[in-house]
Amino acid sequence: MKSQGKKISGKHVGVDKRFLNDSEVGKLIAWLPNFSKLVHDVLTMYLWTCTRGSEIVSMERQEVCDEQGELWWTIPKHKTKNSRRPLATDLRVPLMGRAAEAKACAG
C-alpha cells in the first residue's frame, strides 16, 4: 500500500519533502558534542553519507570493507527502500572523513 501523503483539513496534500538548509546544518553540527556518542555517530553518518536512518542503524561490520585504502559500505539491496524494485542493486557508499571516523567508533 503506497502512502498518499499527509492530510490537512481532510484533504491530501501529497508527500512533503524536507531538508536542512545551510544554517540548520551548521547549528546541528555545532550541537553534535551535546548528544550521546550513539546519536552523534548516527547524525554524522546522516550528514556525511546521505543514507537513510534505517540503513545506518542496521549497518553490519561485514558490509564495510577497505578497498585500496578507501572504506566502502555496501548496503545490501534488501535493506534499501528500493528492495522491491527488480532492477535495483546494492548501494555502495564511500566512507570518508567524519563518516569513516563514526564507523570506526561504532564498528
Side-chain angles (χ1 to χ4, degrees), residues 58-98:
S58 67
M59 177 188 254
E60 298 177 44
R61 180 181 302 269
Q62 64 268 19
E63 296 170 358
V64 178
C65 66
D66 186 324
E67 294 179 12
Q68 300 174 351
E70 295 178 352
L71 286 179
W72 284 88
W73 173 26
T74 303
I75 306 168
K77 174 184 168 179
H78 73 273
K79 288 186 178 182
T80 69
K81 74 186 234 179
N82 292 320
S83 62
R84 294 189 191 122
R85 299 188 185 271
L87 298 178
T89 61
D90 295 346
L91 176 62
R92 288 186 35 92
V93 180
L95 297 178
M96 48 186 76
R98 291 188 183 188

Side-chain angles (χ1 to χ4, degrees), residues 26-42:
K27 289 177 185 176
L28 179 59
I29 291 171
W31 262 91
L32 283 176
N34 298 308
F35 292 108
S36 70
K37 181 69 176 136
L38 178 61
V39 172
H40 178 284
D41 287 346
V42 170

